[in-house]
Amino acid sequence: MTYCVGLKLKAGLVLLSDTRTNAGVDNIARFRKMFLFEEPGERVVALMTAGNLGVTQGVVTSISAAVKRSKIDPEIESIMSCETIYRAAQIVGESMQEIQKRDRANIEAQGAAADATIIMAGQRKGGDLRLFLIYTAGNFIEAGEDTPYLQIGEHKYGKPILDRVIRSETTVDEAIKAALVSMDSTIRSNLSVGMPLDLAVIPVDTFHAHTQRIESDHKEFRQISDSWAQSLRTAFHALPSIKIT
Amino acid sequence: MTYCVGLKLKAGLVLLSDTRTNAGVDNIARFRKMFLFEEPGERVVALMTAGNLGVTQGVVTSISAAVKRSKIDPEIESIMSCETIYRAAQIVGESMQEIQKRDRANIEAQGAAADATIIMAGQRKGGDLRLFLIYTAGNFIEAGEDTPYLQIGEHKYGKPILDRVIRSETTVDEAIKAALVSMDSTIRSNLSVGMPLDLAVIPVDTFHAHTQRIESDHKEFRQISDSWAQSLRTAFHALPSIKIT
């Protein structure tokens, strides 16, 4: 399993992914699920992936290859050379469709699931911040003002805190905290989501991603995790009681 | 959908269920999902149901009918006349198997799901508090000291708070609060879980269930819900920030 969350705020994009993958419970490994493409001052695009690892690696490889080719030959269309970030989401969707067409029947013949989802976020010079979720079918949705975040993978455990605190107006610092608390709740409840984490922040109109890998001994993450656990217990014990007859 | 949770503490059993059922999103109704059987001073058994409503009503009807018959004829075995609460769980499982055998193929031929789960909890004179989860297949698991609670239906949103605060030693009052907070988080995140709620408390060695229906205007539940929302926001804003470079 996997958990990735992307938040689109007025102040920027905040992206967080875990790194655990598993085939069953006895084959657990670490794989990066966040991929960044950047042309300083011009465009930044981030991808986060969940689902069948062969499928998502196939999509990311094909997209990366096109980006490399488009740097040499500007006629070639890639997520970094295309006109808009919306078009970039279409390109990711088309790549997903190709891989599904090629591999899905064989994967399913083995009794495995070929489903995969991808969060794509970014901004190009002259455009707005965008945040998309691309489905197995290659179609996609975009985050808006009302729901300024998107999740893939094991999304339920970490959703309540996002619903409670995330608005478009939320600051980047607060959004980082919310993403980390959301991840912390997920890690506690689902063994197949695990450390380390990859965090990326793309402040609006900077076309640049600040990234950080958060290992399990990361001091500030541990502080957030411990202090949240403590605060929840304190808040819980302070709640009024209900007496039943 | 549905959310039901049962907690088995040293001090007693706490059971909470919602009342919303839906066939799609445009056919929503209220149905009781908690059923109590009580012989004062001798035995109390509670059932909570999730999944296909036809199936669970079939199981509950057949169990209730057997209980009635066994009151007249002590030779007839029912969850109230059988030797142990463990045997009562087997009886519920056998009833589930019968209904599945009778209806499953026809239900699935209509493209609907016949899956159902039941939480059964109770105590007989001379026995311990017991808490079981019976699956569609009729097999079941029992809650133990390490995980003193069981959930059915939409269980993920409400799980983190239970993991954080529920132990076997938790008091009944604290457990009621935890069950209500767990339900509150679920209702906020999943439209198909809804008010009113049915709450039952079975203190150890009393063989009696205290029950309460909690409507959406229930003053103390609203206080818990509002005060929890406020506390979470306060706790969240007090968390340390992570700065990334």
Side-chain angles (χ1 to χ4, degrees), chain B residues 23 27-28 34 48 50 68 72 111 117 124 126 129 134 147 157 163 178 201 211 213 223 237:
Chain B
N27 187 1
I28 288 180
M34 183 188 286
M48 296 191 291
K68 273 187 200 151
I72 298 162
T117 44
R124 67 176 170 89
L129 291 169
I134 294 114
T147 302
Y157 298 115
D163 285 334
V201 174
T211 61
R213 171 148 286 201
Q223 277 176 350
H237 292 302

Side-chain angles (χ1 to χ4, degrees), chain B residues 72-234:
Chain B
I72 298 162
D73 177 358
E75 292 292 300
I76 288 172
E77 191 182 39
S78 78
I79 60 168
M80 293 303 282
S81 71
C82 63
E83 286 232 342
T84 62
I85 300 294
Y86 182 87
R87 174 64 197 143
Q90 283 183 328
I91 292 173
V92 175
E94 287 160 13
S95 174
M96 175 74 86
Q97 285 165 348
E98 269 169 43
I99 305 277
Q100 290 289 342
K101 196 172 161 190
R102 191 186 71 192
D103 292 342
R104 187 174 185 90
N106 290 321
I107 294 169
E108 290 185 339
Q110 303 298 321
D115 289 347
T117 44
I118 296 178
I119 285 177
M120 196 203 83
Q123 188 181 20
R124 67 176 170 89
K125 204 168 155 181
D128 295 325
L129 291 169
R130 306 292 287 266
L131 174 64
F132 296 94
L133 194 169
I134 294 114
Y135 295 103
T136 304
N139 61 327
F140 51 84
I141 58 170
E142 181 172 13
E145 283 241 335
D146 290 325
T147 302
Y149 68 86
L150 295 170
Q151 304 168 291
I152 53 176
E154 176 57 276
H155 63 282
K156 292 191 178 182
Y157 298 115
K159 185 170 180 289
I161 188 64
L162 301 177
D163 285 334
R164 288 179 194 271
V165 303
I166 294 298
R167 305 284 173 272
S168 283
E169 293 71 27
T170 305
T171 64
V172 166
D173 276 4
E174 293 288 278
I176 292 172
K177 284 200 288 183
L180 290 171
V181 168
S182 175
M183 180 64 79
D184 183 51
S185 298
T186 309
I187 289 173
R188 275 171 195 259
S189 291
N190 189 328
L191 270 188
S192 69
V193 177
M195 308 286 290
L197 313 176
D198 285 313
L199 173 66
V201 174
I202 302 174
V204 64
D205 296 336
T206 63
F207 316 103
H208 172 60
H210 305 263
T211 61
Q212 188 161 336
R213 171 148 286 201
I214 299 174
E215 298 283 347
S216 50
D217 60 354
H218 187 282
K219 199 181 141 204
E220 288 158 306
F221 178 66
R222 288 261 59 84
Q223 277 176 350
I224 286 186
S225 174
D226 294 345
S227 142
W228 183 242
Q230 186 54 48
S231 300
L232 284 191
R233 280 192 295 267
T234 308

